[in-house]
Amino acid sequence: MEETIGVTDAARIPLQRGEQLLDVAVRYAEERHWEVFPGTWLEPVDGTERCSCGEAACPAPGAHPARPDWATQATGSAVAARRMWGKQPRASILLPTGRTFDALDVPEAAGFLALARMERMDLTLGPVTCTPNRRMQFFVLPGGAGKAADLVRKLGWSPTSIDLVAMGEGSYVAAPPTRVGGHGAVQWARRPTPANRWLPDAEELISPLAYACGREAAAARSRKA
C-alpha cells in the first residue's frame, strides 16, 4: 500500500502511485473486512480534471458518492468489490463509517500533535488517514461517534469550537489512494497492519485529540487577534 507518513513528515506526503484502485478496494474488503463502495472519479476536461458528477464547483472532486443510495451499495464482499470497480476502475474508494469503524476527524496540525502525544503515551492506535484538505481521521470502534461529543464536553471543550468531528452512521471517509481533485491523494498517516486490526475505543483517544484541537484553536484565535 501507500507509504506511511511519519509524525514529522506532514509536508512530504507522497503522490499517488503504483497500485490499481480495484486491487486496493478488494484488499480492504478481503483483508480488513471493511465495507467499500465506489464513488465519483476524475475526468479530463479542457486540460484540467473535473469530477465525474459534472459540477464545476464540486467541493470534493472525484471523492464523494456517485449515487444517493450509496449506503445500500456498500459491500464487505471482495467479489462484489471487484465487480463494481471492474465497471469503473477510476472510481474513488469510499468507506462507510458507523459499521466496522467510526472516525474522529480533526485538523491536520492537531492530528499530528495528538499522534505524537499518543505514541509517547503508548496508546493503541488504529489506522489514521491524512487528506489533501489537511484533515486527519482516526479510526475507532463503531459507536464512538455517538459518545464523542459528551466525552469532549466532560474535558471542558465544545466539539464545534475545537473542530473535532465524529463520523458515524450515515457518513463516509475517502480511503487511500483516492485522489481529491488536483489537491493530491488521501494517504495513510498510520496504515492498516495486523497489529492495529483491533481498533481503540473513542474514549481512549479523545483526551489527546481534544487537547491538541483546543491548542490549535487557541493558536488560530491568537493569530487573528
Side-chain angles (χ1 to χ4, degrees), residues 141-225:
L141 286 171
K147 57 187 177 182
D150 283 342
L151 291 171
V152 170
R153 292 189 191 99
K154 287 178 181 178
L155 293 168
W157 282 287
S158 160
T160 53
S161 69
I162 61 173
D163 198 10
L164 190 155
V165 180
M167 305 174 70
E169 185 68 32
S171 296
Y172 63 88
V173 298
T178 294
R179 286 177 56 217
V180 185
H183 306 295
V186 181
Q187 299 289 337
W188 289 115
R190 285 294 176 270
R191 68 192 297 175
T193 68
N196 63 21
R197 183 173 296 278
W198 301 106
L199 299 176
D201 190 278
E203 192 166 358
E204 300 173 61
L205 307 188
I206 280 292
S207 180
L209 283 173
Y211 169 81
C213 287
R215 179 172 166 176
E216 287 302 312
R221 287 193 294 270
S222 296
R223 288 193 293 268
K224 291 178 180 179

Side-chain angles (χ1 to χ4, degrees), residues 7 114-123 125 190:
V7 171
L115 200 53
R117 191 178 184 203
M118 290 172 187
E119 290 178 340
R120 290 194 299 270
M121 296 167 67
D122 200 27
L123 290 180
L125 287 170
R190 285 294 176 270

Side-chain angles (χ1 to χ4, degrees), residues 86-124:
K87 294 177 181 177
Q88 181 42 260
R90 292 181 296 163
S92 53
I93 302 174
L94 305 180
L95 312 175
T97 52
R99 301 186 185 187
T100 51
F101 64 88
D102 284 359
L104 302 177
D105 178 282
V106 301
E108 181 185 86
F112 277 112
L113 178 64
L115 200 53
R117 191 178 184 203
M118 290 172 187
E119 290 178 340
R120 290 194 299 270
M121 296 167 67
D122 200 27
L123 290 180
T124 300

